[in-house]
Amino acid sequence: MIRPVLTEIGIFLIPFAVYALFLAATRSGLFVQSSWPVTIVARLVLAALALVIAGLIGLAHFSGAAPDSTYVPAHIENGKLVRGREN
């Protein structure tokens, strides 16, 4: 469960990292408050939320088993544990 959460947090931080790289490349003062006006931060937040929503939709659409599959739970065969699987 922690991996998808960390992935979405990473996706959220991508626009901020790109803007920070832009500021570093243009030598505009990465840690200067005037380089991070409220309008830019608001746009970065909107872009980040759009990326997170797209990531969540992609995760829901492309992960998991097929809708018509059947889950076979973990069980023991011949004294060995067999993992659960989708058929």
Side-chain angles (χ1 to χ4, degrees):
M1 183 64 192
I2 192 76
R3 185 173 35 127
V5 171
L6 290 177
T7 301
E8 294 302 325
I9 290 172
I11 289 172
F12 183 83
L13 294 176
I14 288 173
F16 298 98
V18 170
Y19 184 65
L21 288 173
F22 169 75
L23 288 177
T26 59
R27 300 174 193 237
S28 299
L30 180 61
F31 298 107
V32 179
Q33 187 175 1
S34 63
S35 295
W36 297 87
V38 175
T39 56
I40 296 293
V41 173
R43 289 179 184 169
L44 291 173
V45 167
L46 289 176
L49 289 175
L51 285 174
V52 168
I53 290 169
L56 289 172
I57 290 172
L59 181 69
H61 189 269
F62 294 111
S63 67
D68 58 345
S69 65
T70 304
Y71 176 68
V72 178
H75 58 281
I76 295 181
E77 286 182 4
N78 299 327
K80 292 187 178 182
L81 180 65
V82 178
R83 297 178 62 177
R85 66 183 184 277
E86 302 285 335
N87 283 339

